[in-house]
Structures are given as C-alpha cells and as structure tokens.
Amino acid sequence: MLLENLSLFLRIVRHGSMAAAAREAGLSPATVSERLAALEAHYGTRLLTRTTRALSLTEEGRALAEGAPNLLAEAEELETRLREGVSHVAGPIRISAPSDLGRNRIAQLLDSFVAAHPAVSIDLHLSDGYIDLAAQGIDIAIRYGDLADSSMMVRVLAPSARIVCAAPAYLDHHGTPEHPDDLITHNCLMMRFRGEVDRAWPFIIYSKPRTLLLSGDRIANDGAMVRDWCVNGHGIARKAEWDIAEDISAGRLIPLLRVFEVPPLRLQAIYPKGRAQVRRIKLLLDALVSGFNP
C-alpha cells in the first residue's frame, strides 16, 4: 500500500490537484484524501499545503517528490526481475525533449529502442520550456547547454552548434548576409524561452564576442514552428544543428555566417540521481548516446 500511496502522491503533484489525480486513478476524492493522509502519517510530516485555490509542496513533500520515482522504479524493476528474469527489460519511461529535436531525432531513436525492447513503453513530452523533472515524474530530459541543477546527473550526447540559416527562396529574394551586422536589415525569426524572446544573437567577430539585438515579424515558443517558418522562406533563424541537419543536407536550408559562430553547446541527457540504476533507464541512456555517436 505504501508504494501505491507514493504513486498516488506523484499523481497529485503532477496534476497540482487532488481531484484531477482522483479522476486519473479512478478513485473518489475522499479516497485520495484518505490515502494522502495515510502517507503523511507514515512519514510523520505534512507533505502538501492545501488551500481552497491550490496545492503546494512542503519542503518534506518536495524531497519525497524527488525521491519517490526512484523508489517506485526500483520496486518495479525488482518485481520484473523476479517474475520474468534478469534479462527482461520492461516498464514505462517518461522522457522530455525539445519539440523540434524530439520530432526529428529523438522519436526515431525511441522507435528503435522500443522495437528492441517491446515490453518498454514510452511517454514522450515535447516542450521548449522549463520542465520540473521531479514534479512531472520525468525519467530523462534531453536539453541543450550546461546543467544548472546539481541534484541531477548528466550523460553528454553530442556537441551542438547554433547555426544561422535561411531557405534558398528567402536568400534569392533578400540577399545573403556576409557579416553578422547584415542581419540588422533582415527579418529574423525568434524563439521565446521561458517568457523571454531570444533577440540577442551572439557571434565571434575579429576574435571577440559580440551580441547583436535583432528583430523580425515572427516569434514562437515552439522550435518546430520557427523551423517551419524558416524552411518556408519567411526569414532567417538561429537553430540547433541537430534540428536542421536534414534540412541542410536536403538543401531546404542554407547555413550562414559559420565563421562567426560561438563555440557549440552540449546536447545532454539529464536524469535524477539513482535513475540510471534502473535497467531500462540505463539501456535507454546508452542507446541515446550511441544514437548521436554512430
């Protein structure tokens, strides 16, 4: 019952609502409330602060939300091994990835992984915004850039440059920029990250870093949308190379100003401590590394 209550607690955290967790679990709100109370009694502390408008985690509740996925995964892994043998790989994996990269690259790698391990199920979340791995019960998040959260572990997948690019049709009509300063007169397609528009594009000019503030007529918080706009000739974008590698290879996009690029970021898999001890998680991490380093 403890493991079932932990799973229910994570549902509540994920939805931010006891009623929504009750509906998903097929339980009455009264039963959910009773089981949450039993869990708090078991640990001897309050896990959630409940008001008429919202739920919020206490410090102890956040610690449990971060650690409970490991407990549940290890228990499930142990049960699978006992029932079906140590060589069997089974169970769910929740993975988060940027929208464009997720569609163009990660989904293919996941398809191959499930084909090799058909008892594994994948729950893929595509988002270019911030994801709280613990609150959302995410096992692995694919992200660009250095890790800020020291409570998480990292597997580096590959370097990834950010490439300024445009469609041939756009360049035929508006001309090809030869220097970063030329971008000021072009229509630049912008991404919005965590509410902030990415107008500041960095370059290395004459061996010195320099940032240009650019503008354009289209902004989106979805990388796939920015890529589509760029491919369709609406302007110049700055995209991660893994998002547009196939477009460049096929001639749909032309890379620009590469001699002025800043050093590449790291593409990496981020996961909570202890998750790599779960066999299916470790195998998927290995498959992702291999997929980006064939």
Side-chain angles (χ1 to χ4, degrees):
M1 181 58 76
L2 175 60
L3 294 177
E4 293 177 358
N5 287 347
L6 283 173
S7 180
L8 181 59
F9 170 70
L10 292 178
R11 286 180 191 266
I12 296 171
V13 173
R14 188 160 60 247
H15 289 289
S17 163
M18 293 177 64
R23 286 193 298 271
E24 184 179 82
L27 301 172
S28 69
T31 299
V32 171
S33 181
E34 290 172 2
R35 288 175 57 176
L36 176 61
L39 191 63
E40 290 179 327
H42 174 82
Y43 288 111
T45 187
R46 183 174 291 277
L47 302 173
L48 293 170
T49 299
R50 299 179 279 281
T51 68
T52 56
R53 292 188 176 182
L55 296 175
S56 60
L57 288 165
T58 64
E59 183 176 348
E60 294 79 8
R62 177 162 290 278
L64 184 61
E66 291 174 354
N70 289 340
L71 293 174
L72 293 171
E74 289 169 8
E76 183 180 12
E77 183 85 359
L78 177 59
E79 182 176 354
T80 297
R81 290 187 178 190
L82 291 174
R83 288 180 179 272
E84 304 183 33
V86 296
S87 63
H88 191 70
V89 180
I93 302 176
R94 291 171 61 85
I95 183 168
S96 170
S99 60
D100 213 1
L101 181 71
R103 292 185 180 94
N104 294 328
R105 185 78 176 179
I106 300 299
Q108 300 171 17
L109 297 178
L110 295 177
D111 287 344
S112 298
F113 185 79
V114 172
H117 305 286
V120 169
S121 63
I122 296 294
D123 188 348
L124 177 60
H125 296 247
L126 299 179
S127 173
D128 291 309
Y130 170 78
I131 294 291
D132 187 329
L133 272 65
Q136 297 297 319
I138 299 296
D139 297 304
I140 301 172
I142 309 300
R143 291 291 180 265
Y144 293 106
D146 293 330
L147 176 65
D149 188 345
S150 61
S151 69
M152 296 292 168
M153 305 299 289
V154 167
R155 289 282 299 273
V156 177
L157 303 180
S160 180
R162 295 286 298 279
I163 299 175
V164 176
C165 57
Y170 177 87
L171 299 176
D172 288 344
H173 192 264
H174 298 279
T176 300
E178 302 293 340
H179 188 279
D181 286 338
D182 297 340
L183 294 174
I184 295 173
T185 63
H186 283 269
N187 191 50
C188 295
L189 309 170
M190 304 293 181
M191 272 289 296
R192 184 187 299 277
F193 296 102
R194 302 185 190 180
E196 297 292 328
V197 178
D198 183 27
R199 299 184 185 279
W201 292 10
F203 297 94
I204 301 295
I205 302 175
Y206 303 124
S207 301
K208 294 183 179 180
R210 184 175 161 199
T211 299
L212 298 178
L213 292 178
L214 302 172
S215 61
D217 63 4
R218 287 170 170 82
I219 299 170
N221 67 343
D222 182 276
M225 188 72 259
V226 172
R227 172 179 163 272
D228 287 346
W229 283 337
C230 194
V231 169
N232 290 326
H234 293 298
I236 295 177
R238 183 170 177 263
K239 292 286 296 175
E241 64 176 302
W242 289 106
D243 291 350
I244 58 172
E246 292 185 3
D247 294 314
I248 290 175
S249 179
R252 291 186 294 268
L253 290 176
I254 306 298
L256 307 169
L257 307 173
R258 299 223 60 181
V259 297
F260 299 100
E261 277 180 15
V262 297
L265 298 172
R266 297 193 304 176
L267 177 65
Q268 51 199 13
I270 301 170
Y271 54 96
K273 290 179 180 178
R275 298 302 282 148
Q277 296 174 9
V278 179
R279 190 159 183 262
R280 65 180 180 277
I281 305 296
K282 180 183 184 303
L283 289 175
L284 179 54
L285 287 168
D286 292 342
L288 290 170
V289 172
S290 297
F292 282 92
N293 300 273

